[in-house]
PDB file of all heavy atoms in Angstrom:
ATOM      1  N   LYS M 189     -11.604  31.474 -40.053  1.00 97.00           N
ATOM      2  CA  LYS M 189     -12.546  30.455 -40.501  1.00 97.00           C
ATOM      3  C   LYS M 189     -11.894  29.080 -40.365  1.00 97.00           C
ATOM      4  O   LYS M 189     -10.664  28.944 -40.381  1.00 97.00           O
ATOM      5  CB  LYS M 189     -12.954  30.697 -41.954  1.00 97.00           C
ATOM      6  CG  LYS M 189     -13.633  32.053 -42.172  1.00 97.00           C
ATOM      7  CD  LYS M 189     -14.935  32.140 -41.410  1.00 97.00           C
ATOM      8  CE  LYS M 189     -15.578  33.504 -41.546  1.00 97.00           C
ATOM      9  NZ  LYS M 189     -14.958  34.533 -40.679  1.00 97.00           N
ATOM     10  N   ASP M 190     -12.738  28.056 -40.224  1.00 98.00           N
ATOM     11  CA  ASP M 190     -12.260  26.684 -40.073  1.00 98.00           C
ATOM     12  C   ASP M 190     -12.455  25.909 -41.370  1.00 98.00           C
ATOM     13  O   ASP M 190     -13.409  26.160 -42.112  1.00 98.00           O
ATOM     14  CB  ASP M 190     -13.002  25.980 -38.935  1.00 98.00           C
ATOM     15  CG  ASP M 190     -12.731  26.628 -37.576  1.00 98.00           C
ATOM     16  OD1 ASP M 190     -11.929  27.575 -37.517  1.00 98.00           O
ATOM     17  OD2 ASP M 190     -13.342  26.182 -36.588  1.00 98.00           O
ATOM     18  N   ILE M 191     -11.555  24.969 -41.622  1.00 98.00           N
ATOM     19  CA  ILE M 191     -11.584  24.160 -42.844  1.00 98.00           C
ATOM     20  C   ILE M 191     -11.887  22.709 -42.485  1.00 98.00           C
ATOM     21  O   ILE M 191     -11.308  22.152 -41.543  1.00 98.00           O
ATOM     22  CB  ILE M 191     -10.236  24.228 -43.594  1.00 98.00           C
ATOM     23  CG1 ILE M 191      -9.862  25.691 -43.891  1.00 98.00           C
ATOM     24  CG2 ILE M 191     -10.299  23.416 -44.877  1.00 98.00           C
ATOM     25  CD1 ILE M 191     -10.808  26.386 -44.835  1.00 98.00           C
ATOM     26  N   ILE M 192     -12.808  22.091 -43.240  1.00 98.00           N
ATOM     27  CA  ILE M 192     -13.171  20.686 -43.026  1.00 98.00           C
ATOM     28  C   ILE M 192     -13.012  19.931 -44.334  1.00 98.00           C
ATOM     29  O   ILE M 192     -13.498  20.374 -45.381  1.00 98.00           O
ATOM     30  CB  ILE M 192     -14.622  20.532 -42.534  1.00 98.00           C
ATOM     31  CG1 ILE M 192     -14.908  21.458 -41.359  1.00 98.00           C
ATOM     32  CG2 ILE M 192     -14.900  19.074 -42.144  1.00 98.00           C
ATOM     33  CD1 ILE M 192     -16.366  21.494 -40.946  1.00 98.00           C
ATOM     34  N   GLY M 193     -12.338  18.799 -44.289  1.00 98.00           N
ATOM     35  CA  GLY M 193     -12.198  17.942 -45.457  1.00 98.00           C
ATOM     36  C   GLY M 193     -12.668  16.535 -45.149  1.00 98.00           C
ATOM     37  O   GLY M 193     -12.414  16.013 -44.057  1.00 98.00           O
ATOM     38  N   ASN M 194     -13.354  15.914 -46.102  1.00 98.00           N
ATOM     39  CA  ASN M 194     -13.877  14.568 -45.881  1.00 98.00           C
ATOM     40  C   ASN M 194     -13.775  13.763 -47.176  1.00 98.00           C
ATOM     41  O   ASN M 194     -14.081  14.264 -48.263  1.00 98.00           O
ATOM     42  CB  ASN M 194     -15.339  14.625 -45.441  1.00 98.00           C
ATOM     43  CG  ASN M 194     -15.905  13.253 -45.120  1.00 98.00           C
ATOM     44  OD1 ASN M 194     -15.379  12.552 -44.270  1.00 98.00           O
ATOM     45  ND2 ASN M 194     -16.977  12.866 -45.800  1.00 98.00           N
ATOM     46  N   LEU M 195     -13.324  12.521 -47.051  1.00 98.00           N
ATOM     47  CA  LEU M 195     -13.241  11.603 -48.185  1.00 98.00           C
ATOM     48  C   LEU M 195     -13.875  10.285 -47.759  1.00 98.00           C
ATOM     49  O   LEU M 195     -13.462   9.684 -46.763  1.00 98.00           O
ATOM     50  CB  LEU M 195     -11.788  11.374 -48.596  1.00 98.00           C
ATOM     51  CG  LEU M 195     -11.552  10.519 -49.847  1.00 98.00           C
ATOM     52  CD1 LEU M 195     -12.138  11.205 -51.077  1.00 98.00           C
ATOM     53  CD2 LEU M 195     -10.061  10.245 -50.040  1.00 98.00           C
ATOM     54  N   SER M 196     -14.890   9.848 -48.506  1.00 97.00           N
ATOM     55  CA  SER M 196     -15.586   8.609 -48.135  1.00 97.00           C
ATOM     56  C   SER M 196     -15.723   7.680 -49.337  1.00 97.00           C
ATOM     57  O   SER M 196     -15.763   8.121 -50.490  1.00 97.00           O
ATOM     58  CB  SER M 196     -16.975   8.926 -47.567  1.00 97.00           C
ATOM     59  OG  SER M 196     -17.779   9.584 -48.530  1.00 97.00           O
ATOM     60  N   PHE M 197     -15.795   6.382 -49.022  1.00 97.00           N
ATOM     61  CA  PHE M 197     -15.917   5.333 -50.027  1.00 97.00           C
ATOM     62  C   PHE M 197     -17.112   4.462 -49.652  1.00 97.00           C
ATOM     63  O   PHE M 197     -17.215   4.012 -48.499  1.00 97.00           O
ATOM     64  CB  PHE M 197     -14.651   4.478 -50.081  1.00 97.00           C
ATOM     65  CG  PHE M 197     -13.403   5.249 -50.411  1.00 97.00           C
ATOM     66  CD1 PHE M 197     -12.730   5.969 -49.431  1.00 97.00           C
ATOM     67  CD2 PHE M 197     -12.892   5.258 -51.706  1.00 97.00           C
ATOM     68  CE1 PHE M 197     -11.577   6.681 -49.730  1.00 97.00           C
ATOM     69  CE2 PHE M 197     -11.739   5.962 -52.009  1.00 97.00           C
ATOM     70  CZ  PHE M 197     -11.084   6.683 -51.030  1.00 97.00           C
ATOM     71  N   ASP M 198     -17.991   4.208 -50.615  1.00 96.00           N
ATOM     72  CA  ASP M 198     -19.187   3.409 -50.349  1.00 96.00           C
ATOM     73  C   ASP M 198     -19.375   2.369 -51.447  1.00 96.00           C
ATOM     74  O   ASP M 198     -19.475   2.708 -52.630  1.00 96.00           O
ATOM     75  CB  ASP M 198     -20.421   4.306 -50.285  1.00 96.00           C
ATOM     76  CG  ASP M 198     -20.391   5.244 -49.086  1.00 96.00           C
ATOM     77  OD1 ASP M 198     -20.598   4.765 -47.963  1.00 96.00           O
ATOM     78  OD2 ASP M 198     -20.161   6.451 -49.291  1.00 96.00           O
ATOM     79  N   PHE M 199     -19.451   1.099 -51.015  1.00 96.00           N
ATOM     80  CA  PHE M 199     -19.676  -0.017 -51.931  1.00 96.00           C
ATOM     81  C   PHE M 199     -20.964  -0.717 -51.495  1.00 96.00           C
ATOM     82  O   PHE M 199     -21.029  -1.295 -50.408  1.00 96.00           O
ATOM     83  CB  PHE M 199     -18.496  -0.983 -51.891  1.00 96.00           C
ATOM     84  CG  PHE M 199     -17.179  -0.342 -52.240  1.00 96.00           C
ATOM     85  CD1 PHE M 199     -16.373   0.214 -51.245  1.00 96.00           C
ATOM     86  CD2 PHE M 199     -16.739  -0.276 -53.558  1.00 96.00           C
ATOM     87  CE1 PHE M 199     -15.156   0.811 -51.559  1.00 96.00           C
ATOM     88  CE2 PHE M 199     -15.527   0.320 -53.880  1.00 96.00           C
ATOM     89  CZ  PHE M 199     -14.735   0.868 -52.882  1.00 96.00           C
ATOM     90  N   ASP M 200     -21.984  -0.670 -52.355  1.00 90.00           N
ATOM     91  CA  ASP M 200     -23.306  -1.145 -51.968  1.00 90.00           C
ATOM     92  C   ASP M 200     -23.677  -2.523 -52.499  1.00 90.00           C
ATOM     93  O   ASP M 200     -24.739  -3.037 -52.170  1.00 90.00           O
ATOM     94  CB  ASP M 200     -24.375  -0.150 -52.448  1.00 90.00           C
ATOM     95  CG  ASP M 200     -24.280   1.182 -51.738  1.00 90.00           C
ATOM     96  OD1 ASP M 200     -23.792   1.193 -50.594  1.00 90.00           O
ATOM     97  OD2 ASP M 200     -24.695   2.199 -52.326  1.00 90.00           O
ATOM     98  N   SER M 201     -22.838  -3.138 -53.315  1.00 86.00           N
ATOM     99  CA  SER M 201     -23.250  -4.387 -53.978  1.00 86.00           C
ATOM    100  C   SER M 201     -22.166  -5.454 -53.944  1.00 86.00           C
ATOM    101  O   SER M 201     -21.870  -6.093 -54.959  1.00 86.00           O
ATOM    102  CB  SER M 201     -23.661  -4.091 -55.425  1.00 86.00           C
ATOM    103  OG  SER M 201     -24.683  -3.138 -55.469  1.00 86.00           O
ATOM    104  N   LEU M 202     -21.562  -5.663 -52.783  1.00 92.00           N
ATOM    105  CA  LEU M 202     -20.540  -6.698 -52.658  1.00 92.00           C
ATOM    106  C   LEU M 202     -21.172  -8.027 -52.260  1.00 92.00           C
ATOM    107  O   LEU M 202     -22.279  -8.079 -51.729  1.00 92.00           O
ATOM    108  CB  LEU M 202     -19.512  -6.276 -51.606  1.00 92.00           C
ATOM    109  CG  LEU M 202     -18.790  -4.938 -51.845  1.00 92.00           C
ATOM    110  CD1 LEU M 202     -17.871  -4.625 -50.681  1.00 92.00           C
ATOM    111  CD2 LEU M 202     -18.020  -4.954 -53.157  1.00 92.00           C
ATOM    112  N   ALA M 203     -20.452  -9.120 -52.509  1.00 89.00           N
ATOM    113  CA  ALA M 203     -20.896 -10.470 -52.122  1.00 89.00           C
ATOM    114  C   ALA M 203     -22.318 -10.744 -52.609  1.00 89.00           C
ATOM    115  O   ALA M 203     -23.227 -11.044 -51.827  1.00 89.00           O
ATOM    116  CB  ALA M 203     -20.803 -10.651 -50.598  1.00 89.00           C
ATOM    117  N   ASN M 204     -22.514 -10.604 -53.911  1.00 89.00           N
ATOM    118  CA  ASN M 204     -23.836 -10.830 -54.509  1.00 89.00           C
ATOM    119  C   ASN M 204     -24.904  -9.921 -53.907  1.00 89.00           C
ATOM    120  O   ASN M 204     -26.033 -10.335 -53.623  1.00 89.00           O
ATOM    121  CB  ASN M 204     -24.255 -12.299 -54.338  1.00 89.00           C
ATOM    122  CG  ASN M 204     -23.354 -13.237 -55.116  1.00 89.00           C
ATOM    123  OD1 ASN M 204     -22.939 -12.921 -56.236  1.00 89.00           O
ATOM    124  ND2 ASN M 204     -23.040 -14.383 -54.524  1.00 89.00           N
ATOM    125  N   SER M 205     -24.504  -8.676 -53.685  1.00 89.00           N
ATOM    126  CA  SER M 205     -25.392  -7.621 -53.165  1.00 89.00           C
ATOM    127  C   SER M 205     -25.827  -7.855 -51.721  1.00 89.00           C
ATOM    128  O   SER M 205     -26.756  -7.201 -51.244  1.00 89.00           O
ATOM    129  CB  SER M 205     -26.637  -7.464 -54.061  1.00 89.00           C
ATOM    130  OG  SER M 205     -26.264  -7.077 -55.369  1.00 89.00           O
ATOM    131  N   LYS M 206     -25.158  -8.761 -51.020  1.00 94.00           N
ATOM    132  CA  LYS M 206     -25.497  -9.002 -49.617  1.00 94.00           C
ATOM    133  C   LYS M 206     -24.689  -8.118 -48.663  1.00 94.00           C
ATOM    134  O   LYS M 206     -25.102  -7.887 -47.527  1.00 94.00           O
ATOM    135  CB  LYS M 206     -25.261 -10.466 -49.254  1.00 94.00           C
ATOM    136  CG  LYS M 206     -26.222 -11.436 -49.926  1.00 94.00           C
ATOM    137  CD  LYS M 206     -25.974 -12.856 -49.440  1.00 94.00           C
ATOM    138  CE  LYS M 206     -26.987 -13.821 -50.043  1.00 94.00           C
ATOM    139  NZ  LYS M 206     -26.775 -15.204 -49.549  1.00 94.00           N
ATOM    140  N   LEU M 207     -23.544  -7.624 -49.118  1.00 96.00           N
ATOM    141  CA  LEU M 207     -22.640  -6.878 -48.255  1.00 96.00           C
ATOM    142  C   LEU M 207     -22.504  -5.433 -48.732  1.00 96.00           C
ATOM    143  O   LEU M 207     -22.299  -5.179 -49.917  1.00 96.00           O
ATOM    144  CB  LEU M 207     -21.255  -7.536 -48.229  1.00 96.00           C
ATOM    145  CG  LEU M 207     -20.166  -6.817 -47.423  1.00 96.00           C
ATOM    146  CD1 LEU M 207     -20.515  -6.813 -45.937  1.00 96.00           C
ATOM    147  CD2 LEU M 207     -18.812  -7.474 -47.651  1.00 96.00           C
ATOM    148  N   LYS M 208     -22.626  -4.506 -47.781  1.00 96.00           N
ATOM    149  CA  LYS M 208     -22.365  -3.097 -48.034  1.00 96.00           C
ATOM    150  C   LYS M 208     -21.175  -2.667 -47.173  1.00 96.00           C
ATOM    151  O   LYS M 208     -21.103  -3.010 -45.987  1.00 96.00           O
ATOM    152  CB  LYS M 208     -23.580  -2.239 -47.697  1.00 96.00           C
ATOM    153  CG  LYS M 208     -24.794  -2.525 -48.557  1.00 96.00           C
ATOM    154  CD  LYS M 208     -25.962  -1.634 -48.174  1.00 96.00           C
ATOM    155  CE  LYS M 208     -27.181  -1.938 -49.035  1.00 96.00           C
ATOM    156  NZ  LYS M 208     -28.337  -1.078 -48.678  1.00 96.00           N
TER     157      LYS M 208
END
Side-chain angles (χ1 to χ4, degrees):
K189 300 296 177 282
D190 296 357
I191 305 295
I192 310 172
N194 183 58
L195 185 64
S196 61
F197 301 81
D198 293 287
F199 302 91
D200 293 333
S201 303
L202 302 177
N204 294 321
S205 298
K206 292 184 177 181
L207 177 65
K208 296 180 181 180

